Amino acid sequence: MTTDSESPEKPRVGITLGDPAGIGPEIVLKSVAERCLLEACRPVIIGSALQLHRQAELLGLPHGFQSYPENDIGLLTGEAPVIVDTGPGDHDIRWGALSSHAGQQAVAAVETAVRLCLSGSLDAVATAPLNKEALQMSGSPYPGHTELLASLCNAPTPLMCFFAEHLKVFLLTVHLSLAKAIAAISKEKVVESVRIADRELRRFGIARPRIAVAGLNPHAGEHGLFGTEDQDEIEPAIIECRTRHGIDVNGPYPADTIFLRAWRREFDAVAACYHDQGLIAVKCLAFGKAVNVTLGLPIIRTSVDHGTAFDIAGRGVADPQSMVEAILLGAKLVAQQKSHSKSKEILST
């Protein structure tokens, strides 16, 4: 196989199947049948070929994708989706049922996708959802995709961010209890996260990101009346980011209004203090269209904004919209990153 050098290369986007007991394979199969994806990228499905074909037959979805060895993906030509087979997948995996085998298949797909991205064979990866309990049953020490990806990429400070149309929300804390999340909000944590977000948003095409930080307490603490964390930890972090690092960041703002203000384009991104503070806003404003983007990695990774949906797995009714959006955004971020790199090269000459 040879690469077609006469036409612009479409980005190669890896698409992991996620937990095969959930809706991952179904939404991947439905997504790669969309013409808009073939126009935007070269889809490379990553997972068990046997599992994918079995589910396609049971659900009545198109399949028959050609399988390629991992080492040949960098040489792909053509437009049709292909699959990198990560294993036999012949275990008795039942829709909607937790199993260590399903967790192992999900992990194997992510590990393969990261290797292909780091080697340059893929330009980005979009992940279907995995199940955290199945992940634990498989023996993985990681609670979710973000932590697994950080380990595989040797990235110490990943940042979970959601792109919801023009609104972007990044999380200062992720998979922690509320009590632990509150305790984790420190000046150092806020400074580190805001700096990563500023750097990564520039990498993806925003020349000077306008960042807002949501308050931790009601009314952002009301000057200490409803808690002192906002004035003791968040305010000093914002001052340091502005004065020492030149970042356009403001706050803390009351969380009950800041997301709406950002939705109305006053800001490019909002820092949420804990998981549900940010995700409630994202899912109310753009459920099914929001995309999870992991910032702070040496690769581009996007994902759906929902879980494995065990309750509807195998029924053929899963909506692939978020998977489609994740793949398309992955392709778009590849282009924006290349444009940013070219701009930096021009400025340096």
Side-chain angles (χ1 to χ4, degrees), residues 194-206:
V194 169
R195 292 187 67 191
I196 292 171
D198 179 72
R199 182 192 72 215
E200 295 288 273
L201 292 174
R202 291 172 187 267
R203 171 188 170 197
F204 295 137
I206 301 177

Side-chain angles (χ1 to χ4, degrees), residues 183-266:
I185 297 297
S186 65
K187 175 187 172 183
E188 293 74 21
K189 178 65 175 175
V190 177
V191 169
E192 177 184 63
S193 298
V194 169
R195 292 187 67 191
I196 292 171
D198 179 72
R199 182 192 72 215
E200 295 288 273
L201 292 174
R202 291 172 187 267
R203 171 188 170 197
F204 295 137
I206 301 177
R208 182 167 170 76
R210 299 166 301 162
I211 299 173
V213 180
L216 174 65
N217 296 297
H219 303 281
E222 199 74 74
H223 304 291
L225 185 63
F226 303 136
T228 62
E229 293 89 351
D230 294 277
Q231 63 182 31
D232 292 345
E233 304 294 340
I234 298 177
E235 288 181 14
I238 291 171
I239 292 170
E240 179 173 326
C241 286
R242 290 182 63 86
T243 58
R244 184 175 177 184
H245 303 294
I247 298 172
D248 185 359
V249 57
N250 290 280
Y253 295 110
D256 58 358
T257 55
I258 189 56
F259 298 98
L260 182 60
R261 291 177 61 186
W263 183 256
R264 291 174 174 171
R265 300 180 186 270
E266 288 187 49

Side-chain angles (χ1 to χ4, degrees), residues 146-147 149-159 189 192 196 199 295-298:
T146 303
E147 297 83 0
L149 288 160
S151 176
L152 293 171
C153 293
N154 194 27
T157 52
L159 197 62
K189 178 65 175 175
E192 177 184 63
I196 292 171
R199 182 192 72 215
L295 305 181
L297 299 178

